[in-house]
Amino acid sequence: MIELNLTHSEAYISAPLDYEGAEKAKRRLLREDNADEPLGWVRLPENYDREELGRIKACAERIRTNSDAVVVVGVGGSYLGARAVLELIRGCEYNLLKKDCPNIYFTGTDYSTGAFSRFLSFIEDKDYSLLVISKSGTTSETAVALRIFRDARLKKYGREGAKERIICITDAKKGALREMCIREGYESFPVPEDIGGRYSVLSSVGLLPLACAGIDIEALLEGARAEMEDCMSENGKNYAISYALSRRALNEDGKAIEILASFEPGFRFFGEWWKQLFGESEGKDLKGIFPSAAEFTTDLHAIGQFIQDGPRILQETVVFFRKSGGDVRVPPAESNADGLDYLVGTSLEDINEKAMQATVKAHYDGGVPVSLITLPDMSEKSVGALIYFFEFACALSAYMSGVNPFNQPGVEAYKKNMSALLKAGS
């Protein structure tokens, strides 16, 4: 399903490819007895609990029948994956479209008074369900937002009525949010103990909000399962290893910034998910490749000049979907003042592909190594495969650089400092 073309990046690699390190990292990921690291995501697509999947689908169906909207409260890995998949498959215009599913809104990602006030004013008259996602229940952005929106649900429906409108995804056994679920009787789903937040999109963390939007979550898992088989294969078609090897070698050659680019507006939050995945997994111990994301062709009119002629510190990964849905073609005009009559009848899909090809060639000719990832379409299967591809490649790449892909000591430092400042000022 996934095609990887490294033609435009291998020419710029002078450092040796670390095949031995890649194989060692792969063996570490596939160890069944590696209980010290959260590796539950590695085989999740083939091992998903069918009973839990049924509960997720039943809960989503109930929400679709009794709610005009779903407010998802979570930050980081608790929301980025779901939003990435939603906007890529359904479009960034999802909430503006006429449909049989509720609108999906994501909040609890910051402390902006203005943003909260505007959203509360907008949502107060809507009949919405609250979906809270936090493994610990104490992440401050999520906990503050939960207080605000839970209070609104209690005032509107009362304690008993709110039970039908508040659903939690949290640790199965412990934590503040788990205690609230037990105390209040809220329906809940577990965050797997052996899966960290940024690797959790294919668990209930991502699947429940996506099912509320009518996305085929079984097809998403099926695509991930197919890519998992390729990642574990020994037949030479392991694109995840090839990608990890290439980006690591380019980093050794001084390409310390990686731009992930796509030619689809709906890819924006996939880029945000990818930035967290690679940034938190690799960026530690003074190591890592800085992850950035761009939306082409839009950003070619903003940072395209820097990519083309700036310092040679960049490597670029382009994700391209051959089919994005719909059929829009260039119509004739009364005059040919714009000189585009030669495009009459041409589909935007064809023009978009030519734009991608022209960009890859221009950047490569200008000295930027470009890795090209191509998928047939933007279906659930394709997106599931892409998620797993990046998760596997990211963990491999981090292991190869000698860091733990699954901790985030820098984030914890910020949280401790903020907590101390708030307590000191109270």
Side-chain angles (χ1 to χ4, degrees), residues 405-416:
F406 308 114
N407 66 358
Q408 50 274 340
V411 176
E412 298 305 321
Y414 136 75
K415 290 180 179 178
K416 289 179 182 178

Side-chain angles (χ1 to χ4, degrees), residues 129-422:
S129 288
L130 186 64
L131 179 53
V132 188
I133 307 173
S134 175
K135 194 165 190 174
S136 66
T138 58
T139 302
S140 56
E141 292 94 338
T142 304
V144 167
L146 171 57
R147 286 195 176 208
I148 293 169
F149 289 102
R150 178 172 176 267
D151 181 65
R153 296 297 78 195
L154 290 172
K155 286 178 179 177
K156 184 168 184 176
Y157 295 106
R159 192 170 293 275
E160 284 301 313
K163 286 183 182 180
E164 293 296 312
R165 305 283 176 175
I166 300 176
I167 303 99
C168 302
I169 301 177
T170 188
D171 189 278
K173 299 177 182 177
K174 60 184 186 300
L177 196 52
R178 171 54 56 196
E179 292 174 5
M180 178 185 289
C181 291
I182 295 172
R183 183 177 67 250
E184 302 293 341
Y186 298 151
E187 182 171 10
S188 64
F189 295 86
V191 177
E193 186 177 357
D194 56 353
I195 299 178
R198 56 187 175 273
Y199 292 86
S200 67
V201 60
L202 296 175
S203 73
S204 58
V205 171
L207 298 184
L208 179 54
L210 291 172
C212 291
I215 286 175
D216 187 342
I217 56 176
E218 295 209 46
L220 195 73
L221 288 168
E222 184 180 342
R225 184 163 56 250
E227 181 60 25
M228 180 193 75
E229 292 171 358
D230 285 346
C231 287
M232 295 182 180
S233 71
E234 303 291 341
N235 63 9
K237 192 192 171 184
N238 197 322
Y239 289 144
I241 286 184
S242 298
Y243 171 63
L245 282 168
S246 173
R247 64 190 301 276
R248 293 297 319 149
L250 288 167
N251 188 38
E252 292 295 319
D253 284 334
K255 311 300 184 186
I257 299 172
E258 181 176 8
I259 297 175
L260 182 74
S262 177
F263 287 72
E264 292 293 338
F267 194 81
R268 178 189 169 197
F269 269 91
F270 199 99
E272 295 299 307
W273 170 80
W274 177 88
K275 282 159 57 178
Q276 189 210 13
L277 178 68
F278 279 84
E280 285 195 350
S281 296
E282 289 189 306
K284 55 201 74 166
D285 300 339
L286 303 180
K287 299 176 181 179
I289 302 169
F290 183 82
S292 180
E295 179 187 319
F296 293 161
T297 59
T298 306
D299 281 337
L300 292 176
H301 300 269
I303 59 173
Q305 174 63 40
F306 185 95
I307 297 172
Q308 189 72 33
D309 289 336
R312 302 296 79 186
I313 56 175
L314 304 175
Q315 55 176 293
E316 188 174 27
T317 299
V318 173
V319 177
F320 187 77
F321 302 89
R322 297 194 185 281
K323 301 288 184 183
S324 61
D327 184 14
V328 180
R329 296 177 181 271
V330 179
E334 293 180 358
S335 70
N336 189 32
D338 55 13
L340 296 180
D341 268 2
Y342 70 97
L343 289 177
V344 171
T346 304
S347 70
L348 291 190
E349 210 154 58
D350 289 340
I351 296 174
N352 204 33
E353 184 162 3
K354 294 297 187 295
M356 179 275 291
Q357 293 168 353
T359 302
V360 169
K361 185 178 187 306
H363 290 179
Y364 169 72
D365 290 346
V368 179
V370 184
S371 302
L372 177 61
I373 297 169
T374 306
L375 294 102
D377 52 35
M378 294 162 66
S379 66
E380 284 90 342
K381 288 183 180 180
S382 291
V383 175
L386 189 61
I387 288 169
Y388 194 89
F389 169 85
F390 277 129
E391 288 181 343
F392 200 87
C394 179
L396 285 174
S397 187
Y399 278 147
M400 289 166 63
S401 69
V403 300
N404 180 351
F406 308 114
N407 66 358
Q408 50 274 340
V411 176
E412 298 305 321
Y414 136 75
K415 290 180 179 178
K416 289 179 182 178
N417 288 344
M418 184 172 174
S419 178
L421 288 168
L422 287 172

